[in-house]
Amino acid sequence: MKGLKAKNVLVTGASSGIGQAIAVRFATEGANVAINYRKSPEDAKETEEMVDNACGQIKGCGVKSLLVQADVSQEEDVVRMVNNVVDEFGSLDILINNAGIQIAGAAHEIEIADFDRVIAVNLRGAYLCAREAIKHFLEQGSGGVIINISSVHEIIPKPQYVGYSVSKGGMENLTRSLALEYADKRIRVNAIGPGATITPINDAWINDADAKAEVESNIPMGRAGTSAEMAASVAFLSSDEAAYITGQTLFIDGGLTLYPAFREPWSSGD
Ligand code: NAD
């Protein structure tokens, strides 16, 4: 895709799922990829190997990969991570805020520490990474791109997951506010809103045929999405093909945000 070759990209939470697919996709586009992991570098080794071999083991894609540790909820970690990427790659052009968690529980029972943790990773963490990236974008003077990995739960309520729901709802205005604030500095900020996607965050249903069928029965297109489908949209929004798009959330959800219950006109008489 236009404008991705030789760009320097940081993907948070890239050791699995959607983040891993995004890292691999950027490598195939010829971009250098910094792979953020939270705990042990071993967690991110698989992604690193996939990035290094994305264009075949012999030739590779001719791109650099870098493993960078950080808990995105920790300010000092985020500052160190972004500086590390800039030091190693020489600049940062694209930030993908992908790291995310969810904790289930009835809203009247959930521990406040659990609520705080979800907001700290999903929303505050995304802001912290954006803040540090924008500092570098402004210093470099060559603009930049931020893509937030939001969710259909940016607009669809999620009972039993109030922290997650609030974090993704907040991400909409994080995206829009940053987009407006830095539009004249050639910094574009967009988001994608995945629907149900086959990744480890959904282990509860992806390996259980009945549970998976139940999930997929609620999706107008009749199937869950793949990480590669999410990564394709992230590549597009990061590329020069999307040069005039900012402040938007692109939902990639097989129709989940189309109010599937209205497929039959139950609310209208003859
Ligand atoms: P995943 O669990 O495979 O990926 C989440 C990643 O975030 C993991 O690699 C994890 O190590 C990392 N992470 C968690 N806490 C972190 C922290 N404090 N610092 C750094 N990294 C941290 O799940 P996924 O589905 O690939 O999720 C990726 C993103 O996509 C999340 O933001 C999630 O909310 C969003 N999303 C997923 C789905 C889905 O159905 N899979 C749907 C909508 C949105």
Side-chain angles (χ1 to χ4, degrees), residues 13 16 18 38 71-72 98 150 164 168 194-195 197 199-202:
S16 59
I18 294 172
R38 184 168 66 93
D71 177 337
V72 298
N98 168 77
S150 183
Y164 188 81
K168 298 300 186 180
T197 309
T199 74
I201 213 172
N202 289 324

Side-chain angles (χ1 to χ4, degrees), residues 116-130:
D116 287 348
R117 179 77 192 143
V118 174
I119 302 292
V121 175
N122 297 9
L123 185 57
R124 189 169 169 277
Y127 165 63
L128 273 174
C129 293

Side-chain angles (χ1 to χ4, degrees), residues 8-10 82 85-86 90-95 133 136-137 140 143-144:
N8 299 321
V9 185
L10 167 60
V82 174
V85 175
V86 172
S91 69
L92 175 65
D93 304 299
I94 300 170
L95 165 70
H136 285 284
F137 295 162
Q140 287 161 201

Side-chain angles (χ1 to χ4, degrees), residues 172-237:
E172 179 182 16
N173 258 351
L174 177 66
T175 303
R176 288 160 56 86
S177 296
L178 294 178
L180 183 56
E181 190 163 344
Y182 297 100
D184 64 344
K185 301 290 188 297
R186 290 194 295 139
I187 297 171
R188 296 188 301 108
V189 186
N190 288 294
I192 66 159
T197 309
I198 306 288
T199 74
I201 213 172
N202 289 324
D203 273 348
W205 57 263
I206 55 181
N207 297 317
D208 175 334
D210 291 343
K212 185 162 181 276
E214 165 65 20
V215 169
E216 294 187 329
S217 72
N218 288 296
I219 302 169
M221 289 183 73
R223 67 170 179 88
T226 66
S227 295
E229 287 170 325
M230 305 307 144
S233 302
V234 170
F236 163 67
L237 285 173

Side-chain angles (χ1 to χ4, degrees), residues 39-113:
K39 275 195 199 143
S40 145
E42 291 311 309
D43 296 341
K45 276 279 171 217
E46 183 183 67
T47 304
E48 189 183 35
E49 277 170 30
M50 289 170 76
V51 164
D52 291 344
N53 298 326
C55 304
Q57 277 188 333
I58 314 264
K59 180 167 73 71
C61 301
V63 303
K64 289 182 255 180
S65 61
L66 174 71
L67 296 186
V68 274
Q69 189 281 331
D71 177 337
V72 298
S73 69
Q74 301 299 313
E75 184 176 18
E76 59 277 22
D77 281 20
V78 172
V79 171
R80 177 180 41 73
M81 170 175 69
V82 174
N83 283 333
N84 191 350
V85 175
V86 172
D87 287 347
E88 291 293 326
F89 284 170
S91 69
L92 175 65
D93 304 299
I94 300 170
L95 165 70
I96 312 298
N97 273 320
N98 168 77
I101 56 170
Q102 56 182 8
I103 300 175
H108 67 286
E109 288 175 347
I110 197 159
E111 297 286 340
I112 199 63

